[in-house]
Amino acid sequence: NAGVTQTPKFQVLKTGQSMTLQCAQDMNHEYMSWYRQDPGMGLRLIHYSVGAGITDQGEVPNGYNVSRSTTEDFPLRLLSAAPSQTSVYFCASSLAGGLNTQYFGPGTRLTVL
Amino acid sequence: KNQVEQSPQSLIILEGKNCTLQCNYTVSPFSNLRWYKQDTGRGPVSLTIMTFSENTKSNGRYTATLDADTKQSSLHITASQLSDSASYICVVRGGGSQGNLIFGKGTKLSVKP
């Protein structure tokens, strides 16, 4: 099992550009989530999905879109990048149920100039 | 407001010594509490998950305690190793949907030879 994979590992964008961060898992997990991690702050939830075709907003969804067409993939789209979106982005997945372990990907470090 | 506070912010100890990290939370209703280890440049990795009824849970040299009455948890690391150098994140899951994970800011532990 590869677990949770994320691409790219690093990305530099100019303000106004759009891009998609990729996330995939091979553990047949129903739940998938996107977080951002900023210095001096805890991880904050952007969007999450409880299954294919179902997504919902987290704590900081503005400026981001998601879709979940398959169980395996959960891409995060930045519509028009802003410097405030400079951050490290983590994708995570877990089985359904409140006590299941959440597995994180290695992260994507995004810089918006 | 649901919050998770961790202390200390950072800690330096010598290899072989023990240490204890603290987590206080105000999340209500409460479902479970998790400790994660995050190595620099990597995604968090789950160490323990505890429910309301569990007081102690161990994972090798890591022992987590939970006092649900005082809403406090601690992570004790025994006989520290250089590889324990990392950030340790306390996460509380409230009752409800998948989106209700509240992350602490983490304690950065450095183990020196």
Side-chain angles (χ1 to χ4, degrees):
Chain A
N1 281 358
V4 180
T5 58
Q6 291 184 237
T7 56
K9 196 162 179 60
F10 301 95
Q11 183 70 51
V12 178
L13 292 178
K14 294 181 180 177
T15 297
Q17 287 184 316
S18 63
M19 79 158 296
T20 299
L21 307 185
Q22 301 291 345
C23 173
Q25 52 89 12
D26 60 359
M27 298 174 281
N28 205 30
H29 286 171
E30 297 96 331
Y31 287 0
M32 296 187 75
S33 307
W34 276 103
Y35 295 90
R36 60 179 288 173
Q37 187 174 40
D38 300 296
M41 303 186 72
L43 277 85
R44 291 182 293 169
L45 183 66
I46 304 171
H47 284 285
Y48 65 98
S49 169
V50 298
I54 306 169
T55 64
D56 207 345
Q57 295 181 352
E59 181 187 355
V60 289
N62 292 342
Y64 308 95
N65 268 359
V66 293
S67 60
R68 184 103 179 263
S69 56
T70 67
T71 299
E72 294 78 19
D73 300 299
F74 191 43
L76 178 73
R77 296 182 189 84
L78 278 70
L79 309 172
S80 177
S84 60
Q85 293 179 304
T86 293
S87 187
V88 181
Y89 292 84
F90 288 100
C91 179
S93 75
S94 69
L95 291 169
L99 284 176
N100 285 301
T101 298
Q102 197 175 30
Y103 295 87
F104 284 82
T108 294
R109 183 173 292 273
L110 175 68
T111 301
V112 182
L113 302 175
Chain B
K1 182 181 177 184
N2 288 332
Q3 285 187 314
V4 176
E5 301 285 345
Q6 292 188 244
S7 62
Q9 209 169 2
S10 62
L11 182 63
I12 301 175
I13 62 173
L14 292 176
E15 186 179 12
K17 298 296 186 183
N18 303 336
C19 68
T20 300
L21 314 180
Q22 300 292 343
C23 174
N24 295 341
Y25 62 92
T26 59
V27 179
S28 182
F30 171 87
S31 175
N32 58 71
L33 184 143
R34 303 150 183 246
W35 282 95
Y36 287 86
K37 178 187 179 188
Q38 185 176 22
D39 292 317
T40 301
R42 306 200 124 176
V45 174
S46 180
L47 293 175
T48 63
I49 300 176
M50 287 188 293
T51 63
F52 183 91
S53 59
E54 295 174 293
N55 298 119
T56 303
K57 186 165 268 190
S58 291
N59 179 355
R61 294 179 297 102
Y62 301 102
T63 300
T65 66
L66 173 64
D67 185 334
D69 291 331
T70 62
K71 298 188 177 181
Q72 296 179 324
S73 176
S74 64
L75 181 69
H76 186 74
I77 304 174
T78 303
S80 61
Q81 300 176 358
L82 298 179
S83 59
D84 292 330
S85 294
S87 285
Y88 291 85
I89 303 172
C90 176
V91 185
V92 177
R93 179 175 174 136
S97 70
Q98 158 76 0
N100 227 4
L101 284 170
I102 312 297
F103 287 77
K105 296 178 183 180
T107 291
K108 187 173 176 66
L109 174 66
S110 297
V111 181
K112 303 294 186 185

